[in-house]
Amino acid sequence: MILELWMIGLVITLLLLLRVPVGLAFIGPCLWWALADGNSNGFSLKVVFDGLNSFPLLAVPLFILVGVLANRLGIADRLYDFCLAVLGRIRGNLAYVNIGTAVGFSWMSGSALADVAGLGKIEVPHMVKAGYPYRFAAGLTASSSLISPVMPPSIPAVIYAATAAVSTGALFAASIVPALLMAAGLVVYVFLWTRRRPDVTSVPFDRTRLRATAIGTIGPALVPVILLGGILSGTFTPTEAASVAVLLMIVLGLIYRTLTVRVMLQSLRETAVITGGIGLILGSAALLGLILTRAHVSSDVAELVTSVSSEPWVFMIMVNIVLLILGTVVDATAAILVLVPVLLPVAMSLGVDPIYFGVVMIINLMIGLLTPPVGSVLFVTASVTGRPVEEVFHGIIPFLIPLVAVLILVTALPGLVLWLPHLLGF
């Protein structure tokens, strides 16, 4: 069995390095195992379908649709204009607007790809035109997009909660402070950068423009208030809240007259494509998880960790190192589905809170979205801006410093993560 695991791991790694889609890279070797182990007669397909048979996971396509609609209905543009009106007179204003817009959009998106695909088309050209270096603009846009999958409604959080059987609402509440810390870390870096760049200018404050853009953001501002207020108060389940958010987006589209039959069909198609890719990963990861369970990988990992140290902080350092490395080569969704059943039992046996563990895991894996060879945010940023991947990555490297610093801070101080869920009674 150990030899089979090594072979499966080797084949999956090679397929990922060849940029085979993650779901296909997982399911091929796993089906080979099922055939070799005599479990191919309908067994493997049943495991795949069982991996998708989860009510909480229904929230995933709905939250994806919310993010897609927010992009296509011009809500991202409204948020950008409002942030520019508020921060216009500050030196380095467009950099701060970039972060502020990412925070505002994150309350509706839940996906880094939706964030960078929508906002990257607006922000990077504006910043370059205003005299910002392309690498800085692209690096900041890519890095700030990571706020979306950490801030609720977070799609990785929904997947982690379903896999770990923990409260999605508690995980959402625990993610708010770390997401805001990520934004604060980027703000500090921008502040230090602009102090060395006297050529970066601001624009005069315009009260009329602020009033007009503020009116245009009243509707979008209600979406996260209703969505998160409903979840955290217990009025909605996350799936119900996602449905309500879709309805609110449709209403806003009708009010702004940006929703047409064509836009709706395009949004549904894009959502179906993204959801299909995630679904394939979910199903194939369920089959891989079964293989790891039968091989008693979790107990082997527990023995290995406890042989090094039984201290929770030592375990969390080891987890951070492993996840930062794996995040560079494995899709975040797949990593959550495969690693949670292996690592979470060990964490809980050492007294690590599963909600805190989930937040640390999500931040870790989201940083991997910025790094080659798999980093999807890296490639999407290069695609929407029409520049080489290498140039985008050089721009991202400095922003990894504040993001990793926040990861270290959150890991070292679990109270930053857990105080809000405890305050709300989770």
Side-chain angles (χ1 to χ4, degrees), residues 141-167:
T141 302
S143 302
S144 65
S145 73
L146 300 193
I147 298 170
S148 282
V150 177
M151 184 77 79
S154 160
I155 293 173
V158 173
I159 294 172
Y160 175 89
T163 307
V166 298
S167 167

Side-chain angles (χ1 to χ4, degrees), residues 355-400:
I355 298 296
Y356 157 74
F357 184 77
V359 173
V360 172
M361 173 176 268
I362 290 169
I363 296 174
N364 252 299
L365 296 174
M366 293 309 105
I367 292 175
L369 296 178
L370 299 177
T371 54
V374 176
S376 50
V377 168
L378 171 65
F379 288 97
V380 171
T381 305
S383 175
V384 299
T385 59
R387 302 287 278 269
V389 172
E390 294 80 7
E391 191 172 2
V392 176
F393 182 59
H394 282 126
I396 286 173
I397 290 174
F399 293 100
L400 293 176

Side-chain angles (χ1 to χ4, degrees), residues 94-106 111-113 115-116 119-120 123-124 127 136-151 179 182-183 186-187 190 370 377 381 396 399-400 402-403:
L94 290 183
Y96 294 113
V97 167
N98 189 309
I99 300 168
T101 307
V103 172
F105 194 67
S106 70
S111 166
L113 296 183
D115 189 313
V116 76
L119 298 176
E123 294 168 340
V124 176
M127 292 180 72
F136 177 85
L140 178 60
T141 302
S143 302
S144 65
S145 73
L146 300 193
I147 298 170
S148 282
V150 177
M151 184 77 79
M182 292 171 68
L186 294 174
V187 166
V190 168
L370 299 177
V377 168
T381 305
I396 286 173
F399 293 100
L400 293 176
L403 294 176

Side-chain angles (χ1 to χ4, degrees), residues 302-391:
E303 291 180 10
L304 176 63
V305 170
T306 53
S307 68
V308 176
S309 174
S310 59
E311 293 291 335
W313 65 270
V314 175
F315 170 74
M316 291 306 298
I317 290 175
M318 294 171 63
V319 166
N320 275 329
I321 294 172
V322 170
L323 291 179
L324 284 173
I325 295 172
L326 285 179
T328 65
V329 295
V330 180
D331 179 83
T333 300
I336 290 171
L337 293 166
V338 173
L339 295 177
V340 167
V342 175
L343 296 178
L344 186 58
V346 183
M348 294 180 68
S349 70
L350 296 175
V352 177
D353 187 276
I355 298 296
Y356 157 74
F357 184 77
V359 173
V360 172
M361 173 176 268
I362 290 169
I363 296 174
N364 252 299
L365 296 174
M366 293 309 105
I367 292 175
L369 296 178
L370 299 177
T371 54
V374 176
S376 50
V377 168
L378 171 65
F379 288 97
V380 171
T381 305
S383 175
V384 299
T385 59
R387 302 287 278 269
V389 172
E390 294 80 7
E391 191 172 2

Side-chain angles (χ1 to χ4, degrees), residues 159-184:
I159 294 172
Y160 175 89
T163 307
V166 298
S167 167
T168 305
L171 196 57
F172 277 5
S175 301
I176 294 174
V177 171
L180 293 176
L181 286 174
M182 292 171 68

